[in-house]
Amino acid sequence: MFKNLIPLCLVAASSALAEDTSMNPEFTAPVRLKAAREIIRVEDPGYASPCWADMDGDGRKDLVVGQFAGGKMKVYRNLGEGKLAEGKWLEAEGKTAEVPGVW
């Protein structure tokens, strides 16, 4: 009897998970982001690492896009209302910051 109960529980659990919409998220169509009315593009070879972080402490998350070839990061300040400022290279001590490469 116990051997037959386990498969039945597994079937019931998988059915419940399939009905749970949080396990099957729906995404909206992709959009191209613009900064200062220009489409944001990544540099070749295109291995960008975008993320959102509050870089200037104003409480709004800014867009940060990494650059593969030179190890630099471009910051697009969040101006609010869905607008981003022109991208500027992340700086440290007055110089463009670079993440050391592994190549």
Side-chain angles (χ1 to χ4, degrees):
M1 163 108 176
F2 186 69
K3 285 191 335 191
N4 293 335
L5 187 58
I6 292 174
L8 182 60
C9 290
L10 292 174
V11 168
S14 65
S15 295
L17 288 175
E19 293 175 15
D20 183 3
T21 57
S22 67
M23 300 295 289
N24 301 310
E26 292 186 27
F27 298 97
T28 59
V31 296
R32 289 189 180 262
L33 294 177
K34 292 183 178 182
R37 297 187 298 267
E38 297 287 327
I39 292 174
I40 296 173
R41 299 186 186 277
V42 297
E43 296 181 15
D44 286 333
Y47 301 112
S49 301
C51 69
W52 294 94
D54 184 4
M55 300 296 291
D56 53 9
D58 65 358
R60 294 185 298 237
K61 291 187 177 181
D62 308 301
L63 178 63
V64 182
V65 181
Q67 175 212 38
F68 180 76
K72 299 184 285 187
M73 290 173 273
K74 195 168 270 193
V75 178
Y76 298 88
R77 285 188 42 250
N78 186 340
L79 302 174
E81 299 179 8
K83 293 183 170 69
L84 297 171
E86 179 181 352
K88 303 221 183 260
W89 293 117
L90 178 68
E91 291 188 355
E93 298 179 359
K95 295 181 183 176
T96 301
E98 294 182 13
V99 178
V102 295
W103 308 109

